[in-house]
């Protein structure tokens, strides 16, 4: 799932990987132990393959390791307290490896604003991506990837449409910035390239892509940041949207995140 040139399977959702990590954190279990503990009831349960794939994903992300026949938790158990704390651990790990199919697909999603807006079916999503730089992507890959991209904070899903909005991803990253910090637009551009690598290639002096622009507008509306557009100052354009007054900025102030 998170290896280079690997497929992105629908089975290991982030919620299932979190559940597996929580089980492993409670004791040193063998695979069959984990499989039995994952059964909800006789009628509804994780299929064995889903459990196996979820464990594999956790291993690829270096969240757990196998010693002998048993699995051990490698991260702080406090990281598993909530979906939010788990997400904040996952993002730096997942996007530190720029060679994975997952990273490349996410980077593609962020950088192709014009194409993304017209897609409302996952099979079409795969077909469009395959024709525009992601030749090896299949519908099955997209179905696996979309669970994670929503969880990690890059998009919202409405029916079968993924709406690019990096509000959550940006907000998590901004927690590491001291409240009251002021940055020029160019300084903020450098900050994105250093802290959000999956958006680095599509954020330029000419403008920011839809996913980042939507995220910044949402953060500004929520009072997490304040964007200023000062006359005669150097500015960076946000992705243009009709009926929206905030379409560029020269400075940003990070408030209490």
């Amino acid at each position: 799932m998170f290896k280079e040139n690997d497929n992105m399977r629908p089975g290991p959702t982030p919620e299932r990987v979190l559940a597996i990590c929580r089980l492993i954190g409670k004791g040193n279990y063998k695979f069959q132990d984990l499989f039995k503990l994952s059964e909800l009831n006789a009628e509804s349960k994780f299929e064995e393959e889903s459990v196996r794939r979820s464990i594999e994903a956790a291993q690829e992300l270096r969240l757990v390791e196998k010693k002998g026949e048993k699995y051990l938790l490698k991260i702080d158990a406090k990281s598993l307290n909530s979906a939010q704390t788990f997400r904040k651990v996952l993002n730096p790990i997942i996007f530190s490896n720029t060679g994975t199919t997952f990273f490349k697909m996410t980077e593609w999603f962020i950088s192709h604003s014009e194409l993304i807006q017209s897609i409302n079916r996952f099979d079409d999503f795969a077909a469009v991506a395959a024709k525009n730089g992601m030749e090896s992507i299949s519908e099955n890959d997209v179905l696996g990837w979309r669970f994670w991209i929503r969880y990690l904070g890059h998009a919202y899903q409405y029916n079968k449409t993924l709406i690019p909005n990096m509000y959550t991803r940006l907000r998590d990253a901004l927690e590491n910035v001291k409240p009251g910090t002021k940055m020029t637009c160019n300084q903020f551009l450098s900050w994105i390239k250093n802290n959000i690598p999956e958006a680095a290639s599509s954020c330029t002096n000419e403008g920011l892509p839809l996913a980042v622009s939507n995220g910044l507008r949402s953060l500004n509306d929520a009072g997490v940041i304040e964007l200023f557009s000062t006359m005669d100052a150097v500015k960076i354009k946000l992705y243009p949207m009709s009926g929206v007054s905030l379409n560029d900025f020269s400075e940003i102030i990070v408030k209490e995140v």
Side-chain angles (χ1 to χ4, degrees):
M1 181 76 181
F2 297 103
K3 297 183 293 185
E4 295 190 15
N5 301 315
D6 197 15
N7 294 330
M8 299 181 290
R9 297 166 290 275
T13 66
E15 292 82 3
R16 286 180 174 179
V17 173
L18 173 57
I20 287 295
C21 287
R22 283 173 170 169
L23 287 174
I24 292 173
K26 293 178 180 178
N28 301 331
Y29 295 115
K30 297 180 181 179
F31 173 78
Q32 286 302 323
D33 298 326
L34 292 171
F35 175 62
K36 290 178 182 178
L37 289 167
S38 298
E39 294 180 356
L40 299 179
N41 53 54
E43 289 75 34
S44 175
K45 64 181 182 180
F46 277 152
E47 295 294 335
E48 183 169 336
E49 185 67 11
S50 294
V51 176
R52 190 182 304 280
R53 293 297 190 186
S54 296
I55 294 171
E56 288 175 356
Q59 288 178 287
E60 290 167 11
L61 293 170
R62 302 183 299 280
L63 306 174
V64 303
E65 64 179 349
K66 189 175 184 181
K67 287 192 175 181
E69 293 186 357
K70 295 185 176 181
Y71 294 93
L72 307 176
L73 187 68
K74 292 186 65 179
I75 59 173
D76 189 338
K78 292 180 180 179
S79 301
L80 310 177
N81 285 346
S82 68
Q84 292 74 27
T85 55
F86 191 51
R87 182 186 68 233
K88 291 172 186 178
V89 169
L90 288 175
N91 266 315
I93 295 172
I94 289 174
F95 294 110
S96 64
N97 188 346
T98 62
T100 65
T101 304
F102 189 92
F103 182 99
K104 293 175 182 177
M105 185 64 199
T106 306
E107 183 180 49
W108 184 92
F109 174 79
I110 295 170
S111 64
H112 285 75
S113 300
E114 293 81 1
L115 294 174
I116 296 303
Q117 293 182 87
S118 62
I119 302 173
N120 56 16
R121 288 164 44 116
F122 291 124
D123 51 350
D124 290 341
F125 203 108
V128 171
K131 290 179 181 177
N132 292 275
M134 294 296 297
E135 290 81 4
S136 62
I137 290 296
S138 68
E139 182 182 357
N140 202 52
D141 289 324
V142 172
L143 292 176
W145 168 83
R146 53 96 185 233
F147 289 120
W148 289 84
I149 209 65
R150 287 161 27 198
Y151 187 92
L152 296 172
H154 296 74
Y156 299 98
Q157 184 175 329
Y158 177 73
N159 291 331
K160 294 185 177 182
T161 298
L162 287 174
I163 301 170
N165 190 324
M166 292 178 63
Y167 170 88
T168 300
R169 174 70 167 115
L170 286 164
R171 182 166 188 159
D172 286 351
L174 285 168
E175 286 188 358
N176 297 315
V177 178
K178 184 179 179 180
T181 297
K182 179 185 288 187
M183 290 182 267
T184 66
C185 58
N186 285 329
Q187 288 172 331
F188 183 68
L189 185 63
S190 297
W191 179 87
I192 286 181
K193 292 181 180 295
N194 290 329
N195 292 276
I196 308 181
E198 68 273 24
S201 63
S202 55
C203 293
T204 69
N205 290 319
E206 284 68 47
L208 304 182
L210 180 63
V212 176
S213 297
N214 279 346
L216 289 176
R217 288 185 176 109
S218 298
L219 288 165
N220 185 74
D221 290 345
V224 176
I225 62 172
E226 189 169 1
L227 297 173
F228 296 91
S229 184
T230 305
M231 190 176 296
D232 298 328
V234 175
K235 301 174 187 177
I236 289 180
K237 295 180 180 179
L238 298 174
Y239 190 87
M241 296 184 69
S242 60
V244 174
S245 59
L246 184 59
N247 282 306
D248 58 38
F249 71 101
S250 55
E251 289 182 316
I252 176 175
I253 292 180
V254 179
K255 297 187 174 182
E256 195 72 36
V257 180

